mmCIF file of all heavy atoms in Angstrom:
data_model
loop_
_atom_site.group_PDB
_atom_site.id
_atom_site.type_symbol
_atom_site.label_atom_id
_atom_site.label_comp_id
_atom_site.label_asym_id
_atom_site.label_seq_id
_atom_site.Cartn_x
_atom_site.Cartn_y
_atom_site.Cartn_z
ATOM 1 N N GLY A 291 -52.756 -14.788 33.267
ATOM 2 C CA GLY A 291 -52.763 -15.618 34.450
ATOM 3 C C GLY A 291 -51.350 -15.950 34.875
ATOM 4 O O GLY A 291 -50.371 -15.508 34.260
ATOM 5 N N ASP A 292 -51.235 -16.722 35.936
ATOM 6 C CA ASP A 292 -49.895 -17.178 36.338
ATOM 7 C C ASP A 292 -49.485 -18.303 35.421
ATOM 8 O O ASP A 292 -50.202 -19.279 35.250
ATOM 9 C CB ASP A 292 -49.919 -17.666 37.791
ATOM 10 C CG ASP A 292 -49.264 -16.638 38.702
ATOM 11 O OD1 ASP A 292 -48.487 -15.831 38.167
ATOM 12 O OD2 ASP A 292 -49.564 -16.645 39.898
ATOM 13 N N LEU A 293 -48.309 -18.180 34.860
ATOM 14 C CA LEU A 293 -47.899 -19.091 33.817
ATOM 15 C C LEU A 293 -46.753 -19.951 34.320
ATOM 16 O O LEU A 293 -45.631 -19.492 34.345
ATOM 17 C CB LEU A 293 -47.464 -18.275 32.609
ATOM 18 C CG LEU A 293 -47.658 -18.892 31.279
ATOM 19 C CD1 LEU A 293 -49.121 -19.090 30.994
ATOM 20 C CD2 LEU A 293 -47.076 -17.981 30.244
ATOM 21 N N PRO A 294 -47.026 -21.176 34.761
ATOM 22 C CA PRO A 294 -45.886 -21.978 35.213
ATOM 23 C C PRO A 294 -45.020 -22.343 34.041
ATOM 24 O O PRO A 294 -45.491 -22.963 33.079
ATOM 25 C CB PRO A 294 -46.560 -23.220 35.816
ATOM 26 C CG PRO A 294 -48.014 -23.048 35.650
ATOM 27 C CD PRO A 294 -48.296 -21.875 34.778
ATOM 28 N N HIS A 295 -43.761 -21.901 34.103
ATOM 29 C CA HIS A 295 -42.838 -22.112 32.982
ATOM 30 C C HIS A 295 -42.628 -23.605 32.752
ATOM 31 O O HIS A 295 -42.419 -24.370 33.681
ATOM 32 C CB HIS A 295 -41.501 -21.440 33.303
ATOM 33 C CG HIS A 295 -40.454 -21.694 32.287
ATOM 34 N ND1 HIS A 295 -39.153 -21.939 32.554
ATOM 35 C CD2 HIS A 295 -40.548 -21.709 30.935
ATOM 36 C CE1 HIS A 295 -38.469 -22.125 31.460
ATOM 37 N NE2 HIS A 295 -39.298 -21.991 30.435
ATOM 38 N N GLY A 296 -42.731 -24.019 31.491
ATOM 39 C CA GLY A 296 -42.468 -25.404 31.162
ATOM 40 C C GLY A 296 -43.681 -26.310 31.219
ATOM 41 O O GLY A 296 -43.656 -27.431 30.790
ATOM 42 N N SER A 297 -44.798 -25.775 31.730
ATOM 43 C CA SER A 297 -46.012 -26.590 31.788
ATOM 44 C C SER A 297 -46.620 -26.695 30.403
ATOM 45 O O SER A 297 -46.269 -25.931 29.507
ATOM 46 C CB SER A 297 -47.007 -25.990 32.758
ATOM 47 O OG SER A 297 -47.425 -24.745 32.248
ATOM 48 N N LEU A 298 -47.556 -27.606 30.278
ATOM 49 C CA LEU A 298 -48.191 -27.788 28.972
ATOM 50 C C LEU A 298 -48.977 -26.541 28.569
ATOM 51 O O LEU A 298 -49.001 -26.137 27.414
ATOM 52 C CB LEU A 298 -49.113 -29.008 29.047
ATOM 53 C CG LEU A 298 -49.497 -29.584 27.658
ATOM 54 C CD1 LEU A 298 -48.284 -29.936 26.847
ATOM 55 C CD2 LEU A 298 -50.412 -30.774 27.837
ATOM 56 N N SER A 299 -49.600 -25.873 29.576
ATOM 57 C CA SER A 299 -50.396 -24.685 29.208
ATOM 58 C C SER A 299 -49.466 -23.559 28.765
ATOM 59 O O SER A 299 -49.828 -22.709 27.948
ATOM 60 C CB SER A 299 -51.252 -24.233 30.400
ATOM 61 O OG SER A 299 -50.449 -23.854 31.465
ATOM 62 N N TYR A 300 -48.233 -23.573 29.311
ATOM 63 C CA TYR A 300 -47.239 -22.592 28.845
ATOM 64 C C TYR A 300 -46.888 -22.862 27.389
ATOM 65 O O TYR A 300 -46.758 -21.947 26.579
ATOM 66 C CB TYR A 300 -46.010 -22.674 29.739
ATOM 67 C CG TYR A 300 -44.764 -21.933 29.262
ATOM 68 C CD1 TYR A 300 -44.631 -20.571 29.489
ATOM 69 C CD2 TYR A 300 -43.751 -22.608 28.606
ATOM 70 C CE1 TYR A 300 -43.497 -19.906 29.058
ATOM 71 C CE2 TYR A 300 -42.617 -21.945 28.180
ATOM 72 C CZ TYR A 300 -42.493 -20.579 28.413
ATOM 73 O OH TYR A 300 -41.366 -19.928 27.998
ATOM 74 N N GLN A 301 -46.761 -24.147 27.070
ATOM 75 C CA GLN A 301 -46.373 -24.493 25.702
ATOM 76 C C GLN A 301 -47.491 -24.263 24.683
ATOM 77 O O GLN A 301 -47.225 -24.041 23.522
ATOM 78 C CB GLN A 301 -45.901 -25.951 25.641
ATOM 79 C CG GLN A 301 -44.518 -26.116 26.242
ATOM 80 C CD GLN A 301 -44.315 -27.495 26.837
ATOM 81 O OE1 GLN A 301 -45.216 -28.309 26.830
ATOM 82 N NE2 GLN A 301 -43.117 -27.721 27.329
ATOM 83 N N THR A 302 -48.760 -24.311 25.169
ATOM 84 C CA THR A 302 -49.850 -24.106 24.211
ATOM 85 C C THR A 302 -49.753 -22.775 23.511
ATOM 86 O O THR A 302 -50.061 -22.656 22.345
ATOM 87 C CB THR A 302 -51.233 -24.185 24.881
ATOM 88 O OG1 THR A 302 -51.236 -23.257 25.966
ATOM 89 C CG2 THR A 302 -51.574 -25.552 25.323
ATOM 90 N N ILE A 303 -49.328 -21.716 24.248
ATOM 91 C CA ILE A 303 -49.301 -20.398 23.601
ATOM 92 C C ILE A 303 -48.263 -20.364 22.493
ATOM 93 O O ILE A 303 -48.440 -19.640 21.510
ATOM 94 C CB ILE A 303 -49.098 -19.248 24.578
ATOM 95 C CG1 ILE A 303 -47.795 -19.353 25.331
ATOM 96 C CG2 ILE A 303 -50.253 -19.152 25.561
ATOM 97 C CD1 ILE A 303 -47.531 -18.155 26.232
ATOM 98 N N PHE A 304 -47.208 -21.175 22.636
ATOM 99 C CA PHE A 304 -46.227 -21.175 21.569
ATOM 100 C C PHE A 304 -46.745 -21.953 20.361
ATOM 101 O O PHE A 304 -46.505 -21.577 19.205
ATOM 102 C CB PHE A 304 -44.896 -21.781 22.063
ATOM 103 C CG PHE A 304 -44.187 -20.870 23.007
ATOM 104 C CD1 PHE A 304 -44.405 -20.956 24.360
ATOM 105 C CD2 PHE A 304 -43.351 -19.877 22.557
ATOM 106 C CE1 PHE A 304 -43.767 -20.092 25.256
ATOM 107 C CE2 PHE A 304 -42.723 -18.999 23.413
ATOM 108 C CZ PHE A 304 -42.918 -19.116 24.768
ATOM 109 N N ALA A 305 -47.463 -23.036 20.634
ATOM 110 C CA ALA A 305 -48.069 -23.793 19.508
ATOM 111 C C ALA A 305 -49.060 -22.880 18.800
ATOM 112 O O ALA A 305 -49.121 -22.857 17.552
ATOM 113 C CB ALA A 305 -48.752 -25.043 20.047
ATOM 114 N N ALA A 306 -49.848 -22.114 19.587
ATOM 115 C CA ALA A 306 -50.800 -21.201 18.959
ATOM 116 C C ALA A 306 -50.081 -20.147 18.162
ATOM 117 O O ALA A 306 -50.449 -19.809 17.026
ATOM 118 C CB ALA A 306 -51.678 -20.557 20.052
ATOM 119 N N GLY A 307 -48.978 -19.601 18.746
ATOM 120 C CA GLY A 307 -48.206 -18.588 18.040
ATOM 121 C C GLY A 307 -47.613 -19.119 16.756
ATOM 122 O O GLY A 307 -47.583 -18.420 15.731
ATOM 123 N N LEU A 308 -47.157 -20.365 16.810
ATOM 124 C CA LEU A 308 -46.588 -20.969 15.592
ATOM 125 C C LEU A 308 -47.662 -21.084 14.501
ATOM 126 O O LEU A 308 -47.407 -20.801 13.339
ATOM 127 C CB LEU A 308 -46.015 -22.335 15.943
ATOM 128 C CG LEU A 308 -45.248 -23.021 14.804
ATOM 129 C CD1 LEU A 308 -43.975 -22.264 14.504
ATOM 130 C CD2 LEU A 308 -44.933 -24.469 15.138
ATOM 131 N N THR A 309 -48.857 -21.486 14.899
ATOM 132 C CA THR A 309 -49.967 -21.566 13.953
ATOM 133 C C THR A 309 -50.203 -20.201 13.293
ATOM 134 O O THR A 309 -50.390 -20.089 12.069
ATOM 135 C CB THR A 309 -51.249 -22.012 14.663
ATOM 136 O OG1 THR A 309 -50.934 -23.126 15.498
ATOM 137 C CG2 THR A 309 -52.302 -22.418 13.666
ATOM 138 N N LEU A 310 -50.197 -19.155 14.120
ATOM 139 C CA LEU A 310 -50.394 -17.807 13.615
ATOM 140 C C LEU A 310 -49.307 -17.439 12.609
ATOM 141 O O LEU A 310 -49.605 -16.917 11.529
ATOM 142 C CB LEU A 310 -50.368 -16.823 14.813
ATOM 143 C CG LEU A 310 -50.625 -15.365 14.518
ATOM 144 C CD1 LEU A 310 -52.069 -15.157 14.133
ATOM 145 C CD2 LEU A 310 -50.302 -14.520 15.741
ATOM 146 N N MET A 311 -48.050 -17.740 12.964
ATOM 147 C CA MET A 311 -46.944 -17.433 12.064
ATOM 148 C C MET A 311 -47.100 -18.156 10.746
ATOM 149 O O MET A 311 -46.881 -17.602 9.673
ATOM 150 C CB MET A 311 -45.636 -17.862 12.702
ATOM 151 C CG MET A 311 -44.987 -16.842 13.605
ATOM 152 S SD MET A 311 -44.385 -15.442 12.679
ATOM 153 C CE MET A 311 -42.787 -16.030 12.169
ATOM 154 N N LEU A 312 -47.497 -19.448 10.838
ATOM 155 C CA LEU A 312 -47.635 -20.231 9.602
ATOM 156 C C LEU A 312 -48.744 -19.646 8.723
ATOM 157 O O LEU A 312 -48.590 -19.588 7.503
ATOM 158 C CB LEU A 312 -47.918 -21.688 9.946
ATOM 159 C CG LEU A 312 -46.720 -22.454 10.533
ATOM 160 C CD1 LEU A 312 -47.083 -23.886 10.846
ATOM 161 C CD2 LEU A 312 -45.544 -22.415 9.552
ATOM 162 N N MET A 313 -49.839 -19.206 9.351
ATOM 163 C CA MET A 313 -50.913 -18.607 8.549
ATOM 164 C C MET A 313 -50.408 -17.364 7.827
ATOM 165 O O MET A 313 -50.667 -17.164 6.639
ATOM 166 C CB MET A 313 -52.101 -18.240 9.461
ATOM 167 C CG MET A 313 -52.952 -19.428 9.879
ATOM 168 S SD MET A 313 -54.064 -19.007 11.229
ATOM 169 C CE MET A 313 -55.389 -18.181 10.334
ATOM 170 N N THR A 314 -49.670 -16.514 8.570
ATOM 171 C CA THR A 314 -49.129 -15.331 7.925
ATOM 172 C C THR A 314 -48.166 -15.700 6.767
ATOM 173 O O THR A 314 -48.212 -15.121 5.698
ATOM 174 C CB THR A 314 -48.311 -14.507 8.945
ATOM 175 O OG1 THR A 314 -48.853 -14.690 10.222
ATOM 176 C CG2 THR A 314 -48.329 -13.046 8.598
ATOM 177 N N LEU A 315 -47.363 -16.719 7.062
ATOM 178 C CA LEU A 315 -46.362 -17.145 6.082
ATOM 179 C C LEU A 315 -47.025 -17.606 4.788
ATOM 180 O O LEU A 315 -46.630 -17.230 3.702
ATOM 181 C CB LEU A 315 -45.476 -18.264 6.691
ATOM 182 C CG LEU A 315 -44.251 -18.609 5.904
ATOM 183 C CD1 LEU A 315 -43.260 -17.467 5.983
ATOM 184 C CD2 LEU A 315 -43.617 -19.886 6.428
#
Side-chain angles (χ1 to χ4, degrees):
Chain A
D292 256 338
L293 210 64
H295 176 221
S297 65
L298 198 57
S299 63
Y300 168 82
Q301 285 151 358
T302 53
I303 60 175
F304 289 91
L308 187 68
T309 314
L310 183 69
M311 273 292 275
L312 289 179
M313 283 167 80
T314 331
L315 191 69

